[in-house]
Amino acid sequence: MLLQGKNALITGAARGIGKAIALKFAAEGANVAFTDLVIDDNAIQTEKEIADFGVKAKGYASNAASFEETEKVVAAIKEEFGTIDILVNNAGITKDGLMLRMTEAQWDAVINVNLKSAFNFIHACTPIMMRQRGGNIINMASVVGVHGNAGQCNYAASKAGLIALAKSIGQEMGSRGIRANAIAPGFIETAMTAALPDEVRQEWVKRIPLRRGGTVEDIANAALFLASDLSSYISGQVIQVDGGMNM
């Protein structure tokens, strides 16, 4: 198994892409700690599904945008799991709107949850990884962080920041055996995209050379590659998982 004996920490993983990554990692032998804003029924079910693979699993309630809460939850995970070998910064929200109508609160909320949370967790986890002389950081970005998107200035800026953050951490921490990369999903079939009107979904698909939306499994496979030794000489890169939408 590709991640046998590794300990992974995934933020915002009670559902969606984060959950898919957690299950993929567990299937490959990783113990998984994950965070979400609250540990509700979804999170409890996710914890059970992870544990069904015979690995250690635990969900933690934490506001990823809070520096103080992040420091505490990472300390608790280190105490429980012993090491943190893989960090996936997946927590994210959207509050879309055109710039002229966007409020300061909408801007701040997206930047704090999407980008500041990654700073919080990297800041808390890199000392642990440095002492281990190794670690792996994956930031969940987006194709809009590469190419921009009208009506999503806050979201695009936060995702572009995650890409630049991964590249910078890769440069800073490479000599300590720590790799950092980013994944930029395109149009992915999730509960959020399922709620879009059919005409909007069809327009998206027309722009994709593979003529379909991606699945959470597609993203999880990319995350597994970056988390494993299959990518041991890859750092500071962004992988677009978008069916060729933005070649």
Side-chain angles (χ1 to χ4, degrees), residues 219-240:
I219 307 304
N221 286 335
L224 174 62
F225 170 70
L226 289 176
S228 75
D229 287 341
L230 292 175
S231 60
S232 62
Y233 201 54
I234 297 175
S235 190
Q237 304 303 308
V238 53
I239 298 179
Q240 295 187 182

Side-chain angles (χ1 to χ4, degrees), residues 35-95:
T35 69
D36 220 285
L37 194 58
V38 294
I39 299 302
D40 56 11
D41 290 344
N42 282 324
I44 293 169
Q45 178 62 27
T46 296
E47 185 178 290
K48 180 183 180 301
E49 291 178 37
I50 296 169
D52 284 344
F53 287 98
V55 300
K56 189 171 188 175
K58 188 167 183 179
Y60 295 80
S62 176
N63 177 6
S66 167
F67 186 87
E68 183 179 1
E69 286 191 33
T70 298
E71 293 284 321
K72 289 178 179 177
V73 78
V74 169
I77 291 168
K78 171 66 167 62
E79 179 71 21
E80 180 73 23
F81 285 76
T83 65
I84 298 175
D85 304 298
I86 303 161
L87 168 65
V88 181
N89 288 307
N90 173 72
I93 62 170
T94 59
K95 289 186 179 293

